[in-house]
Amino acid sequence: MTWAATDLLLGIETSCDETAAAVVERGAVVVSSVVSSQVALHARYGGVVPELAGRAHLERLTGVVSEALESAGVSEPAHELGAVAVTYGPGLMGSLLVGLSGAKGLSMAWEVPLVGVNHLEGHLFAALLERPDLRWPLVVLLVSGGHTILVRVDGPGRYRVLGQTLDDAAGEAYDKVARYLGLGYPGGPALDRAAADGDPNAFDFPRALLSDGYDFSFSGLKTSVVRTVERHPGASSQDVAASFQRAVVDVLVTKARRAVAEVGATGLCLAGGVAANSLLRRAATEACRQDGVAAYLPSPAMCTDNAAMVAAAGWWRLAADGPSPLSLGAVPNLALPQAR
Ligand code: KG4
Ligand code: ZN
C-alpha cells in the first residue's frame, strides 16, 4: 500500500458531542467540512450524556462522511483519498470508539492509510489552516470544554506546555456557571450572550493565580459565583455573567500575554471552543495590539470541534510519522505530545 497517493485527506472527529467529517487538500485547503451537532440531544440534561453521545455518533457518522465526500466531489474515495485521519483521543471513550472504528473500516475497505490524530493537536492546526502566514515561535492559548493549556509552539509537532488548569477547564467553568444561572445550554455561548447586557464591574470575582506562573484554577471562581448569588438573590444574572466572564478573560489574557513576552513569541493564537468567546477575542486582540505582536484568532467555526482541523493535523502527522497501525486504540486522557 502506498500512502499519501493523493493530496486529499478525509478527517473524522467524534471525540465529544459533534459528529464531524471533512475533506482537506494538502493539510491546507478545506474542500468540505460537515459538523452535526448533538446540542439538541443533550440540552434537556444540561450537559453531554456520554452514552447518548456514543449512540448518536453511531447513527450519524456514515451520513456525515457521505455528505463530506459528496460536497467535496469525491466519488471514488479509494482512488481519490490519500488517507483517513481520525481523532483517537482525548475525549469520551464511547464517542472516540465510534469514529475510530468507522475510520478503520473505511481505511480497510478503500485500502488507504489510517492516521490517528490527537484532538488537542487538531485544535492547534485549526489556526494554521486559516493563517498559513503564522510565524514561530507562537504562544497558543488552547481553551475548550476539557482543557485549558498555554503552549509554546515552535512549529508543527514542536510543543512545550507552559501551564494548564489545576482543576476545571475554562469551558467547563463557563458551562457550570451558565447552568447554575439558568442561562441555557450550551452554557459558554449562552453566558457570552447574557454577559453582553451585564455590568462586568458589578461583582469582584477572584482571579486565581493571576501573577503566579502559567497554571490556571477556575473552581474557586465557580464557588464564588454561587456564594455571591446566595448573598444577593436579586442580582441580575446578566451582571453576574458579565463579572464572571471578565474575571476568566482577565486571567487568560494576563497569563497569555506574559507568556508571549517571556517566550519572545511573534504572537498569540487562540484555539478551542472558548476561543469563540467575544470578550476573549476582543481582549486578546487589544492586548496584542498594545504589545505590538500578532493576534491569530481562528473563525468561531474553526475554534469549536470540527474535522477539518483533524485532517490538517493528520496530513502533517502522516508526513512526519507515517500511517498508524490498524490496531490503534482510543486514548481518553491522551496528552499533547511535548518536544524533548
Ligand atoms: O473545543 P470544543 O468545541 O470542545 C472540546 O474539545 O471541549 O469546546 C467546547 C467548549 C464548551 O465548554 C463551550 O461552552 C465553550 O467551548 N464555548 C464557549 C463559547 N463557545 C463555545 N465558551 C465561552 N464563550 C463562547 N462563545
Ligand atoms: Zn475540542
Side-chain angles (χ1 to χ4, degrees):
M1 191 193 297
T2 57
W3 51 272
T6 87
D7 292 345
L8 294 182
L9 241 78
L10 171 69
I12 293 179
E13 157 64 38
T14 65
S15 67
C16 188
D17 61 343
E18 324 277 3
T19 315
V23 174
V24 174
E25 189 181 350
R26 301 189 63 78
V29 180
V30 183
V31 187
S32 70
S33 179
V34 179
V35 179
S36 169
S37 165
Q38 300 180 10
V39 160
L41 180 68
H42 301 288
R44 69 189 172 112
Y45 304 100
V48 177
V49 182
E51 163 123 9
L52 293 182
R55 287 169 187 255
H57 286 308
L58 194 58
E59 288 162 9
R60 296 175 188 196
L61 184 60
T62 50
V64 166
V65 167
S66 301
E67 196 183 329
L69 292 175
E70 201 172 307
S71 60
V74 173
S75 53
E76 291 190 58
H79 301 298
E80 296 176 60
L81 293 180
V84 177
V86 62
T87 302
Y88 72 103
L92 301 169
M93 186 51 139
S95 291
L96 290 167
L97 285 176
V98 177
L100 190 52
S101 305
K104 288 183 182 186
L106 295 174
S107 157
M108 290 178 77
W110 296 336
E111 295 190 28
V112 297
L114 176 80
V115 193
V117 171
N118 181 315
H119 181 83
L120 301 175
E121 187 167 50
H123 275 301
L124 299 182
F125 271 80
L128 268 179
L129 255 178
E130 292 188 330
R131 295 292 299 266
D133 58 326
L134 288 181
R135 285 180 305 119
W136 322 110
L138 258 187
V139 167
V140 181
L141 176 65
L142 171 43
V143 269
S144 70
H147 296 86
T148 301
I149 315 179
L150 205 49
V151 198
R152 174 190 173 131
V153 181
D154 285 287
R158 297 170 63 199
Y159 317 122
R160 196 159 66 77
V161 174
L162 303 171
Q164 50 195 315
T165 185
L166 304 174
D167 39 58
D168 291 350
E172 191 181 352
Y174 264 93
D175 293 338
K176 286 177 174 171
V177 168
R179 190 174 174 178
Y180 177 71
L181 295 175
L183 295 176
Y185 177 85
L191 197 145
D192 195 354
R193 281 191 300 274
D197 302 321
D199 173 7
N201 299 313
F203 300 99
D204 188 20
F205 289 128
R207 273 86 166 144
L209 308 176
L210 189 63
S211 46
D212 192 9
Y214 293 122
D215 284 337
F216 302 89
S217 167
F218 294 109
S219 72
L221 174 57
K222 183 188 61 195
T223 310
S224 176
V225 168
V226 173
R227 295 238 173 83
T228 300
V229 172
E230 280 168 2
R231 270 202 303 271
H232 304 89
S236 111
S237 52
Q238 280 96 341
D239 285 351
V240 177
S243 304
F244 161 83
Q245 173 157 282
R246 170 57 70 191
V248 174
V249 170
D250 265 0
V251 175
L252 293 176
V253 172
T254 301
K255 290 192 182 237
R257 191 172 192 176
R258 184 149 38 85
V260 169
E262 195 177 313
V263 162
T266 65
L268 170 65
C269 173
L270 302 183
V274 183
N277 182 258
S278 60
L279 181 63
L280 178 57
R281 295 173 81 85
R282 277 203 308 278
T285 305
E286 178 56 21
C288 290
R289 194 191 58 75
Q290 283 175 13
D291 296 349
V293 295
Y296 299 108
L297 311 187
S299 62
M302 199 51 84
C303 291
T304 49
D305 288 350
N306 64 85
M309 68 186 200
V310 174
W315 171 267
W316 184 80
R317 275 284 157 207
L318 183 64
D321 300 341
S324 301
L326 281 173
S327 58
L328 180 69
V331 186
N333 59 356
L334 186 67
L336 192 66
Q338 298 241 33
R340 275 178 293 247

